[in-house]
Amino acid sequence: MQDFFLSKMDSSFRAELFDFHGVSMTRYFTDNWDNVQNFQARPDDILIATYPKAGTTWVSCILDLLHFGQTSSERQTSISIYDRVPFLEMSVPSVPKGTELADKLVTSPRLIKTHFPVQFVPKSFWEQNCRIVYLARNAKDSVVSYFHFDRMNMAEPEPGEWSSFLQRFMQGKMVFGSWYDHVNGWWKKKQTYSKLHYMFYEDLIEDTGRELDKLCSFVGLSSSDEHKKSIIGMVQFDNMKNNKMANHSTISIMDFKISHFMRKGKVGDWKTHFTVNQNEHFDEDYKRKMTDPTLEFRTEMDISAI
Ligand code: PPS
């Protein structure tokens, strides 16, 4: 099992942002570039693609349980989610690289995570016609979640104050670049690549069972009602938050005294962070950038209807 314990957890570990082929990145996700680009995907691989903080871990756990939950319950209780679903482009000192972990996977299918914008995905995934699950989350909750993540994750660039972080998010100066380009780039890909299932965090919150059914039909699995019910229970926010194999508490570069990885898991938490002015400015800028009327996000939900 992968050892994610680093001896040192301080701000010297934080990486600098730089422009990489037109996208803001840090070296922890570009240092292994050649191996990542030459990664050999297999036809049954499933790529889980997201902009950071969209609910990657949530959908990873769901897909892992769907595929392997019935055959091996030990897998879920003894192997961390980042070992079950390797993060392809990750290249952090002292821990195995994402490509190495993926190559070592013995499961079929292999579930592989990426935060790459669509143009960075290694070509073998397209050549092998792999299934891809893209999960998107509304921009306002994404930026709030990202802010708290960058505060607690010592491998991320220094987040600074909330207001400057928000500004940089709008400028696309985040690790993995612009949220706007990411969600639009993948949305556009969906028009030409049929094996891409584009889903939304807010829909998962609204009706996990419905989204699970859609995932089943996308990956070609017919699970029993009982199995689906047990998955829905296991991936509820509180259960995942208390599950050491899913909550990232074993990663020492994350300082849980600052914030938890499973922080709130809500739609609309942005309201506790955005000022009225910030919200107006954000909305104006959003309208200019998000011009495709077919790609719509929900930033609030009627909880009583859930
Ligand atoms: S990462 O670091 O990019 O891989 O993070 P990611 O897993 O994509 O996103 C973390 C956010 O997803 C929330 N989350 C959930 N919400 C609801 N239900 C469940 N089961 C769940 N699991 C993870 C997690 O709490 C982070 O969002 P915030 O808003 O920070 O709480």
Side-chain angles (χ1 to χ4, degrees), residues 50-62 87 113 115 135 137 141-142 144-146 148-149 153 201 204-205 208 234-241 246 248 254 259-267 269:
T50 60
Y51 187 77
K53 314 321 292 176
T56 330
T57 316
W58 193 6
V59 80
S60 297
C61 284
I62 293 175
F87 185 0
K113 155 185 170 174
H115 284 319
L135 177 65
R137 185 181 192 182
D141 285 322
S142 292
V144 168
S145 181
Y146 214 162
H148 292 290
F149 181 70
N153 184 340
Y201 178 93
L204 259 179
I205 290 273
T208 311
M234 279 189 267
V235 301
Q236 265 175 10
F237 181 77
D238 288 337
N239 289 340
M240 277 184 57
K241 189 176 172 121
H248 289 58
M254 297 186 181
S259 181
H260 279 252
F261 183 87
M262 301 284 169
R263 197 183 53 89
K264 288 198 179 166
K266 290 208 154 70
V267 179
D269 183 44

Side-chain angles (χ1 to χ4, degrees), residues 32-79:
N32 194 30
W33 182 252
D34 288 348
N35 288 329
V36 171
Q37 288 308 309
N38 292 323
F39 181 76
Q40 289 306 303
R42 298 177 194 152
D44 64 342
D45 284 347
I46 299 177
L47 187 67
I48 299 167
T50 60
Y51 187 77
K53 314 321 292 176
T56 330
T57 316
W58 193 6
V59 80
S60 297
C61 284
I62 293 175
L63 283 168
D64 187 69
L65 282 162
L66 259 180
H67 280 98
F68 312 114
Q70 269 178 321
T71 45
S72 160
S73 59
E74 204 193 321
R75 179 178 164 83
Q76 275 79 34
T77 51
S78 63
I79 310 176

Side-chain angles (χ1 to χ4, degrees), residues 39 41 47 88 112 121-130 193:
F39 181 76
L47 187 67
L88 185 66
I112 299 170
V121 170
K123 64 175 186 316
S124 62
F125 284 96
W126 311 117
E127 288 167 353
Q128 298 292 341
N129 203 22
C130 296
Y193 188 76

